Amino acid sequence: WYQRRVREAVVSTQSTGENIYTQHKPYLIELVQQMVQGKMREADFPWLGGAPIVRVNEIIVFVVGGITFEEIKAVQEWNISNPANKIVLASTGVHNCKSFLEVVGQ
């Protein structure tokens, strides 16, 4: 059963040309999509001032604790494919695999 599933996945990937390792999208992009569409829930992302969330054209994202190269790449791709909605990404640091695993292990 397992070998059949792996074989099907490999054949499927080869026929479509997609790399299964590049199909993952960072959660950051999902949050940006919600913000652009005006669908962020106040219960999850409270704001000051009492004004409702409106659609925005420019988003500044600051991540405390570090970001990954995958998130940087996803934001770059977003900015290219969505010129009307720009993201500025900043962080306290950039993680590689080793530093990310060290932080997770703490």
Side-chain angles (χ1 to χ4, degrees), residues 9-59:
V10 169
V11 170
S12 164
T13 302
Q14 289 174 344
S15 65
T16 62
E18 291 184 37
N19 183 340
I20 60 170
Y21 299 110
T22 61
Q23 293 175 356
H24 174 260
K25 299 288 183 228
Y27 183 60
L28 171 65
I29 296 301
E30 185 177 323
L31 291 176
V32 167
Q33 288 172 335
Q34 289 176 13
M35 180 174 276
V36 167
Q37 296 169 356
K39 294 182 178 180
M40 294 189 87
R41 293 177 17 154
E42 182 179 5
D44 295 332
F45 298 93
W47 62 86
L48 297 175
I53 292 181
V54 295
R55 292 184 181 200
V56 296
N57 295 333
E58 293 182 348
I59 301 168

Side-chain angles (χ1 to χ4, degrees), residues 38-85:
K39 294 182 178 180
M40 294 189 87
R41 293 177 17 154
E42 182 179 5
D44 295 332
F45 298 93
W47 62 86
L48 297 175
I53 292 181
V54 295
R55 292 184 181 200
V56 296
N57 295 333
E58 293 182 348
I59 301 168
I60 299 173
V61 177
F62 190 90
V63 180
V64 175
I67 55 177
T68 64
F69 289 105
E70 180 184 24
E71 291 167 325
I72 295 169
K73 180 179 184 281
V75 167
Q76 179 186 19
E77 290 172 352
W78 171 275
N79 285 337
I80 290 169
S81 62
N82 299 287
N85 303 106

